[in-house]
Amino acid sequence: MSYDNTCKYLAENYPGDFARWLLSIDTKDIQVLKTELNLEPIRADSVTFLQTSNQILHLEFQTTPKSKTPLDFRMLDYYTRLKREYWCEIQQVLIFLQPTSSEIVFQTQYLDTNTTHRYRVIRLWEEDPTPLLANAALLPLATLAKTDSPRDLLTQVAAAVDMIEETDQRQNISACVQVLAGLRFDKNLIQQLFTEEIMQESVIYQDILQKGEERGKKQEALQLILRQLTRRFAAIGSEIEQQIRTLSITQLEDLAEALLDFNSQNDLVNYLQNISLPQANQQE
């Protein structure tokens, strides 16, 4: 999760740099769009939408090709939603961070009986590091780029980070570099080249810690509720359990109070259905 959050942080805080890299345009007329589209909320961990004056850049970062919904179909799904919402040119780039031989990372289109949808794929391990090293905002991605000497590449990145004059930017970029470098390099080597104090003071590091704490709290609440339900009703169905696992921590806390009034498992089912009604109504 921290890898997704790190990439999303970079794209949303340095949108112009990503536009120059991926669209070959230099513009200040660019904004980050909301990460929810009509019909239903989408997974926002790794998805970023950047809007320029005449087009939208849809960025998605993936550490692995595994996905509950096939990635090629997801790209089509996002495209149609964006088109419906904004009706402009849309450029989609799917960026894979970690080397894999999976056929999925070589797919650049979705094919169906009457539909062909194309999108761009970047496999970072095949990318020339030179343009990434030349841009402070892209230095974290440079750690995963093509090289015959990974250690020398990481040393180059560390030197480039040290040259960033603005303190806050240097701290945040350094933290992002260290997070993404963890996909490729040994922790000890990363610690040799980067000072831990700088990372701990950065915004992105604090954000990762906060999200980690939130996930920990949610997991504790989830396990407590599942134990309470099992004790109350002996067993609950797998579909019901899956529904409960998708609830936010606030919804879990509300459920913890509500279940005290449940007389049967049907009460639980009805409660969960009522939670999903707003989303269902939005889809209609």
Side-chain angles (χ1 to χ4, degrees), residues 6-19:
T6 299
C7 292
K8 187 177 177 65
Y9 167 85
L10 290 169
E12 294 186 352
N13 283 271
Y14 302 97
D17 299 278
F18 277 81

Side-chain angles (χ1 to χ4, degrees), residues 265-284:
Q265 196 165 150
N266 285 335
D267 292 334
L268 171 61
V269 172
N270 292 333
Y271 181 88
L272 294 174
Q273 286 178 341
N274 289 332
I275 291 178
S276 65
L277 279 178
Q279 179 174 317
N281 291 334
Q282 185 179 10
Q283 291 177 344
E284 293 175 359

